[in-house]
Amino acid sequence: MTKESSKITLRETLRIHWRAFQDVRRCCSAASFAVPALHAAFSALSPYVTVYFSAQIINELAGQRRAGVLWPLVALTLGISALLTFLTGALYRWREVLYAKYPFQENRLFTEKLLSMDFSQLDRTETHDLLAQIRQSENWMSWGLKQVFYGCEKLVQSAMGILGAAALTVTLFTLPVPETAGTLAFLNHPVFLLFLAAVLLLATWAGPAFRTKAEKYITRLSEEARFGNRLFQFFGYVSMEQRRGMDCRMYNQQTICRHYDRFSPFGIHGTFAVYARGPMGFWAALSSCVSAVLTGIIYVFVCLKAWAGAFGVGSVTQYVSSVTALTRNLSLLLETLGKLKSNVPFLRTVYEFLDIPNEMYQGSLTTEKRSDRQYQVEFRDVSFRYPGTDRWALRHVTLSFQIGSRMAMVGENGSGKTTFIKLLCRLYDPQEGQILLNGIDIRKYRYHDYMELFSVVFQDFQLLSQPLGANVAGSAKYDADRVRQALTDAGFGDRLAKMPDGLDTMLYREFAEDGVDVSGGEAQKIAIARALYKDAPFMILDEPTAALDPVAEAEIYSRFNEIAGDRTSVYISHRLSSCKFCDLITVFHDGRVVQQGSHEELLADKSGKYYELWSAQAQYYTTPDISQ
Ligand code: ADP
C-alpha cells in the first residue's frame, strides 16, 4: 500500500497537523498565527454587523419611518462598518507581510535537516526525490506545511462565521407564521422544520464532500508529478547555470529534454488534464451545483415565511444572508477538514524527509586542543562500500600517518583515494575495521570537534559568489591579515594585488556586475588558501594542482613544505613526479593499499604498481631519467 492510498483517519489528520503546527511554530513568530486568525475572525463577523443593521433600517423604513430612530441607526451602521473595514484591512496587510516571510522561515527546517543529516543520505536519489516532491507540492498548491497556516485561518473563520450566522438565524425558525396564513401554516410544523434542517445539512455536507473527492485526484498525481518536476527543475534552472553554459552550446544539450515530453503529467494529454476532463471536473461541478441548489432552497423558505407574515421585509435580507452564511461556513468547516485530510499524504512526505534517521554514531568525546598538533590517525583493516552498492570501494586498508609528515596517495582513477579521504573526514563510516584518533575510535568523538582537525581541498571544491575574503575565511567577518597571508602562501599574492577591491572583490558575477571571474587555477589557489586559513592539524589536498598550469604547479610544489608547515599532510595526485617530495607514498589499486615507501624505494620494485604507473606517465613527459 502506498503512503497516499493508506487510509487517513481524522485522528491522524489532527495528530500530524498538530505536529506540523509545532514545527512551523518553532521557526515563525506567534504573530504569524495570531494575526491571520484575528483577520479571519474579523472578516467572518463584520458582514453580520451590516446585515443586522441593514435589516433594522429596512424594517423601520417599511414600518413606522421614525426619523429619530433612522438617523442614529444609519450613523451607527456607517460608523461600525467603517471601523470594521479599516481593522480588517489593516489586519489583512499585516497578514500578507507575515505570509510573505513564511517561505524563508519554513525553509530553515529543511536546510537544517540537510546540513545535519548523515552525508551518505545526500548520495541517495530518494532523499532528493523527497525534497523535490515537498517543494513541488508547496509551490503547486501550497500543500504540506503551508496548509497549517491556511488550516488555522479557515478553522477560525468558519467557527466565527457559524457562531455569528447562528445568532442571526435562530429567529427564522422560532418566529411562527400567523394562524391566518392558511396552507402556509405548514411552515410552522415541526416535521417540516426537521425535514428542512435535514435537507440543508445534507446539502451543506455534500458540497465540500464532493470538492474533497475532486481534490483526491491531485493527491494521487503528486507521486507521478515528482519526477516531472525534478526534470523541470533540472532543465529549467540547473542546466542553465553559467558553468554548464559552454557545454550546453557546444553539444546542443537542450534538445535532450524533449525526450521527456511524455513524462509530463501536466501536458494537455497528461494525466492531470484527463482527470480534469473526467472525474475530477465532474465532482467539482457537482459541488458547485449543490451550493446553488442550497441557496435556492433558502430563498424559497425565507420568502414564503415573509409572505405568510412571520416577519417584515427587512428581515428577509437578514435571514437570507445569515442562513446562506451559516451553510457557507459549515461547508467551509467541512471543506477545511477535508483539505486537511487531503494534506495528510503531503505531510507524511514532509516527515518522511524530516525523520530520516542519522545512523552514524554521534560520540561525546571532545578532541583535546593541542598546540603541538600531536594527532595520530590510524586506519585498522578498514573496508567500505558506498550505500546501495555491492562493490567494495576500499578493502582491508591498514595504514597510519606519521605526525607532521607528508604522505602522497597515488593510484589509477577509481582506486579508492578520494574514498579514503572521505572516511578519514568521517563523511561516511566504514562497514568493517576501525579508524582511530590517538588510539580511540573516531566515532566516539563529537562529530564537529573531529571535523575541526581537517582542512581539505576536494577535487570538486566549490567557491561561493561572494567576496574573496569571505570565501577564504568562510565567514563575512575575518582577520584580513591572516587571509592575505593564506592567499600569498597559496600563490595568489600577485593576483590579489591586481584585484580591484582587494579582499572585498566579489568573485564571479552572479551578484555583482563588476565581480571577477577567476580561472580554474586561480580558484584552486583560493581553495588552498581557504584550507590554510582554517589552520587545522591535517591538511588534505585531493588533486590540488589538476587545474594549475605547469608554472603554477611547480610554484605550489616548491613551496609545499613551507605551506604544510608542521601539519600532517595528505596529498593525492595523478602526476607521480609531483609526489617525489613526500616522506611516504601510498599506492592504491582496486580499493587496496598495494605498496608503501619513498619514491626511490617504490621505483626500485620493477614489478610493483608504482613502477608501472611511473613508466606509463614517463612516456608523456620528457623526463630524461625516469629513475630520478
Ligand atoms: P579515486 O579517488 O581513486 O579516483 P574514488 O575513491 O573516487 O577513486 O572511487 C573509488 C570507487 O568508489 C570507484 O569505483 C567509484 O566508482 C566508487 N564511488 C565513488 N563515489 C561513489 C559514490 N558516491 N557512490 C557510489 N560509488 C562511488
Side-chain angles (χ1 to χ4, degrees), residues 123 386 389 391 393 412-419:
D123 276 351
Y386 280 96
T389 64
R391 196 172 165 274
E412 288 158 357
N413 263 340
S415 56
K417 306 180 296 290
T418 302
T419 306

Side-chain angles (χ1 to χ4, degrees), residues 119 123 384-389 391-394 410-422 428 459 542-543 572 574 588 590-591:
F119 187 76
D123 276 351
F384 173 72
R385 266 193 302 236
Y386 280 96
T389 64
R391 196 172 165 274
W392 292 103
L394 285 184
V410 300
E412 288 158 357
N413 263 340
S415 56
K417 306 180 296 290
T418 302
T419 306
F420 177 89
I421 299 302
K422 287 181 182 167
Y428 300 91
Q459 221 169 348
D542 189 352
E543 297 274 3
I572 299 182
H574 264 342
F588 277 80
D590 266 349

